[in-house]
Each structure stands twice: as C-alpha cells, then as structure tokens.
Amino acid sequence: MSPDGAVTGVEADLATDYAESIDAEITWVPGSESVLADRMKDGELDIMIGGLTAKAPWTDKVALTRPYTTVRGEDGKTEKMVMGVRPGENALMVSLETFLDDQDAER
C-alpha cells in the first residue's frame, strides 16, 4: 500500500481484474501472511494475494491456487506465486482458476 492508501502493482492489478470479471468490489486488508491466514480461516476474507508462494505454510487455513507467475528471489532461486482462497469455497476457487487460465497464467 502506498502512503496515500492506494494499492498498486502487478498483483493488485490481477486481483482488480478478477474482481471486475465477477462484478465484485475489493476491500484491501493489509497484514502479515499469518494474520491474514487466520482471518481467512475465520471467514473474514475470501482471497489473499501479495507475496504468497506455493510453499506457504498456511495450507491448514488457506487453499492455494496454482501458480500465476514465477519470481526469482535474491538468492537466485525461483518461487511460484499463488493466491489463497478460503477453504471450502470450491466455486470461488474454480472461478479464480478459470480466470487465471484465461489470463495465460503459469500452469
């Protein structure tokens, strides 16, 4: 989030495009992965995005999408970036996965 509260970047654009595709509004909730994962498990959030990798330790609280991109870390290793969805939200997961596929996201 920028100082003026705007959320920008590739991941923000991806989330915004998805929300527009299902005619939904976004309420951005900043926080650490652990806090957001807890909030997702408690049913307070629907989707997580932003620095979440396929190796995230939150799979007991968050269902992970397939990777939508790969990034190279400072150590030179690649990380597959994913989104998180509230567990049990199968229709939302299918919708999001279909959207990612339509965006030519990484398989």
Side-chain angles (χ1 to χ4, degrees):
M1 231 178 221
S2 68
D4 67 356
V7 179
T8 60
V10 174
E11 290 175 318
D13 292 344
L14 186 63
T16 299
D17 290 347
Y18 175 66
E20 288 174 0
S21 78
I22 62 169
D23 198 30
E25 291 186 30
I26 294 177
T27 301
W28 296 104
V29 179
S32 68
E33 285 181 7
S34 62
V35 170
L36 295 176
D38 284 339
R39 291 187 70 184
M40 183 164 281
K41 182 178 179 183
D42 292 341
E44 297 174 27
L45 303 174
D46 296 313
I47 296 174
M48 282 177 61
I49 188 169
L52 194 60
T53 71
K55 295 179 183 177
W58 318 115
T59 55
D60 61 327
K61 301 174 184 178
V62 178
L64 302 177
T65 66
R66 63 180 172 76
Y68 58 85
T69 194
T70 301
V71 297
R72 187 170 307 277
E74 291 179 12
D75 60 2
K77 294 181 182 179
T78 59
E79 292 283 344
K80 294 180 182 286
M81 306 306 291
V82 298
M83 290 185 190
V85 176
R86 189 171 29 177
E89 292 293 329
N90 298 338
L92 179 59
M93 178 66 90
V94 169
S95 171
L96 185 52
E97 293 276 357
T98 301
F99 171 80
L100 293 172
D101 189 49
D102 290 346
Q103 299 299 307
D104 292 326
E106 179 179 307
R107 295 181 192 256

